[in-house]
Amino acid sequence: MNLADFPRPANKSHRGIHWSPGVFHPDGSSLDWWINELLDMGLCWVKLLDDGGGSSKHVCRKLLDRNIIPIVRIYRGRPNPGHLSERDLATIADLVEIGVRYFEPNNEPNLPVEWKGSEWQPGGRPEVVMEHWLQDARAIIALGGYPAFPALAQSGQHPEHGSIRWYINAFRWLDEQSHAEALDVFSNGAWIAAHDGVLNHCYKDDDGQWHFEYPYDPICQADQPGKTIMEDDNSLIGHRVPVQLLEEHFGLQVPVMSTEGGVFAPEGG
């Protein structure tokens, strides 16, 4: 698929929000009130959770009716190692039928909390995650959806759950062990989810304008000349790590959406 083939809001807005972090959602007048708030803020993307049984369906239908594009994470507690169940896939099929296209089948596999019992190992076992992800991605594409490459918790070069090392090993495994299959998946609807967060890596210039280009900002570069995103992805542009690796290994560009994170304003603005 070409980038232009992926569904996007009619007004091409890039502004979105993460819905409440639970799998059950308001209905009726309460839901209408929240959707009107989204519209007033000019938001055109909403990421929300589904329990695997269709708990998001009524919200997705309302969002689509108001030209807001939903991104649905099929929630599974401690999803790794593992893949989507038949129930999950049936729900995805139902959501595709009403117009949902974007799905997240996994979440932050570089963290121990996203692994079952004693299955966690330092490094996050990207080869195991990728094997299951390819299975999920093929299934979602076959149903008419677009699967997200799993978003990681930004962890830089942390020795146990560093996100940069995880990305490097994941794309290397895809290239060396399943190149044709991964190329097919990324060419037919897979996109990259990220959890870009500003943290404290921003600054205001003399004109009062905020900047978020860490680690390429003058403050970081003065302290650590030549530092690149491949050394520290803890910033609003951390998604450049998987983007660069996808280009290096497969020569492709796909849509990227930060489905958590963003700019957290301190108290007082």
Side-chain angles (χ1 to χ4, degrees), residues 126-135 137-138 149 169-187 246 249-250 252:
E127 68 287 350
V128 173
V129 177
M130 287 296 93
E131 186 173 1
H132 287 293
W133 177 72
L134 284 174
Q135 178 178 338
R138 290 196 312 269
F149 185 90
N169 289 334
F171 278 99
R172 179 181 296 146
W173 186 90
L174 288 173
D175 189 0
E176 295 177 354
Q177 302 299 322
S178 198
H179 185 93
E181 186 178 4
L183 182 63
D184 182 66
V185 165
F186 278 114
S187 299
L246 179 64
H249 287 277
F250 296 97
L252 295 175

Side-chain angles (χ1 to χ4, degrees), residues 32-232:
D32 291 337
W33 186 88
W34 281 110
I35 290 180
N36 286 332
E37 289 291 296
L38 299 176
L39 293 171
D40 286 346
M41 290 187 286
L43 301 177
C44 292
W45 300 88
V46 171
K47 184 260 185 74
L48 69 164
L49 276 59
D50 192 287
D51 68 346
S55 66
S56 71
K57 188 174 181 178
H58 66 290
V59 182
C60 291
R61 186 181 283 112
K62 286 270 191 176
L63 292 170
L64 290 164
D65 286 345
R66 305 301 293 274
N67 296 314
I68 298 174
I69 295 183
I71 303 166
V72 178
R73 174 184 164 194
I74 303 298
Y75 178 79
R76 294 177 289 145
R78 297 184 177 271
N80 299 290
H83 48 78
L84 297 171
S85 68
E86 291 300 320
R87 178 175 179 262
D88 296 330
L89 295 174
T91 292
I92 290 172
D94 287 343
L95 291 171
V96 167
E97 187 174 356
I98 67 170
V100 180
R101 291 294 180 268
Y102 294 98
F103 296 93
E104 287 189 89
N106 205 330
N107 183 71
E108 298 188 342
N110 62 320
L111 296 184
V113 71
E114 299 291 351
W115 286 79
K116 298 179 179 70
S118 60
E119 293 285 353
W120 163 260
Q121 294 177 13
R125 304 175 69 186
E127 68 287 350
V128 173
V129 177
M130 287 296 93
E131 186 173 1
H132 287 293
W133 177 72
L134 284 174
Q135 178 178 338
D136 288 340
R138 290 196 312 269
I140 292 171
I141 291 170
L143 293 171
Y146 303 138
F149 185 90
L152 304 185
Q154 289 176 317
S155 306
Q157 296 282 1
H158 188 280
E160 290 192 4
H161 45 80
S163 42
I164 295 172
R165 181 55 50 188
W166 196 99
Y167 279 128
I168 290 171
N169 289 334
F171 278 99
R172 179 181 296 146
W173 186 90
L174 288 173
D175 189 0
E176 295 177 354
Q177 302 299 322
S178 198
H179 185 93
E181 186 178 4
L183 182 63
D184 182 66
V185 165
F186 278 114
S187 299
N188 286 283
W191 52 282
I192 292 173
H195 288 171
D196 292 343
V198 172
L199 308 177
N200 67 338
H201 291 160
C202 56
Y203 71 98
K204 186 186 291 187
D205 64 23
D206 293 338
D207 296 324
Q209 297 296 312
W210 284 97
H211 295 266
F212 304 97
E213 66 269 28
Y214 178 91
Y216 302 106
D217 63 273
I219 298 173
C220 177
Q221 290 297 311
D223 185 50
Q224 301 178 69
K227 191 172 189 177
T228 74
I229 199 69
M230 298 303 292
E231 296 168 273
D232 189 355

